[in-house]
Amino acid sequence: MIIDISTPVTSSMMVYKDRDEKRPTFTKLYQHPLHPIQETELTINLHTGTHVDAPLHIIPDGPPIDEFALSKFYGPAVVIDLTNVIESIRKSDLESITIPPDSIVLLKTRNSMHLGERFDFDFVYLSDEAAAYLVSKQIKTIGIDSLGIERNQSHHPTHRHLLNNGIPIIEGLNLRTISPGAYTFIGFPLSLPGMEASLMRAVLITQ
Ligand SMILES: [Zn+2]
């Protein structure tokens, strides 16, 4: 079974810190029935909804999104239940979980429970010590169900641990209905040479 874990892109979707300038806009260039065709223009921030961050997002001269091998976005995934975490995911929250090397690790938190509502400024995030731990486990890719993987940590240590080690960060996943466990993940960024991020359609395949 294919399960969609992406956030639908609409003009009223939840955006980072509820900033209106981050909201996508859809402009109808041609529309039925006045025109024989329908055509829509979409203006959108690359960090809207389900998206993936590349090193260039945080690191000047870091690799852009098109330099990630597509194999980073396909393969064995583990969904970890962290819905009891209130503030930040710590190393101690992860140590009891088996995480095979080369896994795509998806963090399910209480963020998934109120997706689609207003932006939660107190969203659960990944601490830098937990990010360093996941790097040591040689994970392939990481995903989380919030529009950021850290909140306002100065110098973005969590992003740095992951991106400096070539680990793509998928943000804005919807894991509300997903049981913890093993899946196959598929979710590719658009081909956007030189960009620091891309929208993504992400799915899980049950095993
Ligand atoms: Zn982002």
Side-chain angles (χ1 to χ4, degrees):
M1 189 166 69
I2 299 176
I3 310 166
D4 192 359
I5 52 169
S6 322
T7 310
V9 175
T10 72
S11 52
S12 60
M13 71 193 294
M14 187 175 79
V15 290
Y16 193 67
K17 296 195 173 174
D18 281 335
R19 290 178 184 152
D20 269 340
E21 70 272 19
K22 292 198 181 259
R23 238 169 259 294
T25 56
F26 295 84
T27 307
K28 287 270 181 280
L29 302 180
Y30 303 103
Q31 196 165 8
H32 298 313
L34 280 179
H35 294 275
I37 58 163
Q38 183 147 313
E39 232 182 81
T40 307
E41 188 172 82
L42 169 61
T43 305
I44 194 163
N45 185 301
L46 293 178
H47 304 262
T48 304
T50 309
H51 71 280
V52 54
D53 285 346
L56 183 59
H57 180 44
I58 296 292
I59 303 159
D61 302 322
I65 194 73
D66 53 304
E67 290 188 24
F68 277 133
L70 289 180
S71 58
K72 293 272 187 190
F73 306 110
Y74 169 77
V78 52
V79 175
I80 302 176
D81 181 4
L82 297 155
T83 50
N84 59 342
V85 172
I86 304 294
E87 182 73 12
S88 73
I89 300 162
R90 314 293 304 186
K91 178 182 172 187
S92 56
D93 296 314
L94 301 171
E95 282 172 324
S96 63
I97 313 287
T98 303
I99 303 172
D102 227 26
S103 293
I104 296 173
V105 173
L106 305 179
L107 308 171
K108 177 180 179 176
T109 75
R110 62 177 176 80
N111 299 329
S112 272
M113 304 311 152
H114 47 84
L115 285 172
E117 300 168 16
R118 290 179 68 80
F119 184 80
D120 177 7
F121 285 77
D122 296 320
F123 66 88
V124 176
Y125 66 98
L126 184 68
S127 69
D128 58 332
E129 56 142 35
Y133 172 73
L134 290 172
V135 168
S136 78
K137 301 301 280 184
Q138 298 178 283
I139 68 166
K140 180 159 82 173
T141 294
I142 192 156
I144 193 166
D145 53 1
S146 57
L147 287 174
I149 200 161
E150 61 195 316
R151 275 191 220 155
N152 295 310
Q153 284 62 43
S154 55
H155 307 301
H156 310 289
T158 297
H159 274 86
R160 279 177 198 284
H161 278 307
L162 298 164
L163 294 173
N164 275 328
N165 286 284
I167 297 172
I169 303 172
I170 304 167
E171 298 171 330
L173 291 168
N174 180 358
L175 300 172
R176 190 189 317 222
T177 63
I178 308 301
S179 305
Y183 297 86
T184 297
F185 175 92
I186 308 176
F188 293 108
L190 304 180
S191 184
L192 295 169
M195 292 298 111
E196 83 290 349
S198 171
L199 311 179
M200 170 183 276
R201 183 71 180 265
V203 302
L204 291 177
I205 315 287
T206 49
Q207 295 180 332

